[in-house]
Amino acid sequence: KKKVVILISGRGSNMEAIVHTARREAWDVEVAAVISNRPEAAGLAFAKAQGISTVALDHKAYPTREAFDAALMDAIDAHAPDAVVLAGFMRILTPGFTEHYAGRLLNIHPSLLPAFPGLHTHRRALEAGCQLAGATVHLVTAELDHGPILAQAMVPVLAGDDEARLAQRVLSLEHQMYPRALAWFLAGELRQEGGRMQHRDGAAQLFT
Ligand code: GAR
């Protein structure tokens, strides 16, 4: 049975989508733990109610980023996971951390990377006059919001959109694509070919 550890900072709706999809589709995967850097994260209550082990590691209690990441690595490694899933985990990770989990650390970012890495993606997409928005699941490398792309999804930007409306439209798509991309990853169905991660059966990794 494959094991995953999911890292959150807040609402945790992507984590919820993964837990629900894994159950509905009877994945042979255990969500071994949900870890938050914010003790008040709403997602922790959901995970607990599902009987998933939860850890709150308050980053403010650590003197340096390195010290926090070391504690985080200890908490994760206690479960020896096959994949570590960042789901709205809003902390910059140290190179030591990203190297330690190289090739098994996934993130979802609410833009069509490489456009709009970093924060306030929806506001910036609206300001840029984009007609399309979306989300990207990728492997995490030392560079923020870079790394091999596993799946992307797009939605239109509609007349009258503000940040909240656009974010909600993108989020609904995130809830479909993140479980799918994670399932492909865990099943070893994604291969690096010519600098690009591709599904071995030629399945489109694009969700619309
Ligand atoms: C999601 O939209 C996710 O893509 C984004 O935060 C939201 C978390 O929602 N992540 C980032 O911006 C990472 N830089 P959730 O807690 O409900 O899953």
Side-chain angles (χ1 to χ4, degrees):
K1 192 179 242 205
K2 301 269 174 161
K3 281 199 201 175
V4 303
V5 168
I6 305 180
L7 272 48
I8 65 169
S9 294
R11 181 176 54 190
S13 70
N14 277 291
M15 176 269 298
E16 255 189 65
I18 289 167
V19 169
H20 279 139
T21 306
R23 181 162 317 144
R24 190 175 63 243
E25 299 179 354
W27 294 4
D28 195 23
V29 170
E30 183 197 351
V31 178
V34 171
I35 302 176
S36 172
N37 67 304
R38 293 184 188 278
E40 71 282 6
L44 287 175
F46 167 84
K48 257 187 216 139
Q50 302 296 309
I52 298 168
S53 123
T54 60
V55 182
L57 267 188
D58 189 347
H59 64 269
K60 294 194 229 61
Y62 294 84
T64 61
R65 224 174 251 291
E66 284 72 19
F68 171 70
D69 277 10
L72 187 56
M73 283 192 258
D74 284 345
I76 295 168
D77 289 346
H79 300 280
D82 298 281
V84 178
V85 175
L86 306 179
F89 187 70
M90 304 304 276
R91 294 285 302 166
I92 292 187
L93 296 161
T94 58
F97 186 99
T98 55
E99 267 154 41
H100 184 67
Y101 297 106
R104 58 181 170 130
L105 182 59
L106 281 70
N107 182 45
I108 190 161
H109 181 75
S111 78
L112 294 169
L113 291 174
F116 309 122
L119 295 175
H120 311 300
T121 52
H122 303 300
R123 185 196 307 169
R124 287 154 64 207
L126 288 168
E127 281 168 3
C130 291
Q131 306 279 345
L132 289 169
T136 304
V137 177
H138 66 100
L139 289 175
V140 176
T141 58
E143 201 181 342
L144 179 72
D145 297 329
H146 278 68
I149 291 171
L150 305 184
Q152 285 190 312
M154 60 184 177
V155 291
V157 177
L158 299 176
D161 267 357
D162 56 15
E163 249 179 287
R165 285 173 49 124
L166 182 56
Q168 184 51 55
R169 191 174 310 118
V170 172
L171 189 66
S172 305
L173 211 50
E174 292 183 48
H175 295 162
Q176 297 172 48
M177 74 187 290
Y178 210 1
R180 203 73 283 119
L182 177 60
W184 285 338
F185 177 81
L186 290 171
E189 290 174 12
L190 299 173
R191 300 279 152 73
Q192 190 128 21
E193 269 172 44
R196 202 173 158 240
M197 296 296 289
Q198 302 207 44
H199 193 279
R200 67 166 177 218
D201 298 333
Q205 291 147 245
L206 179 66
F207 296 73
T208 51

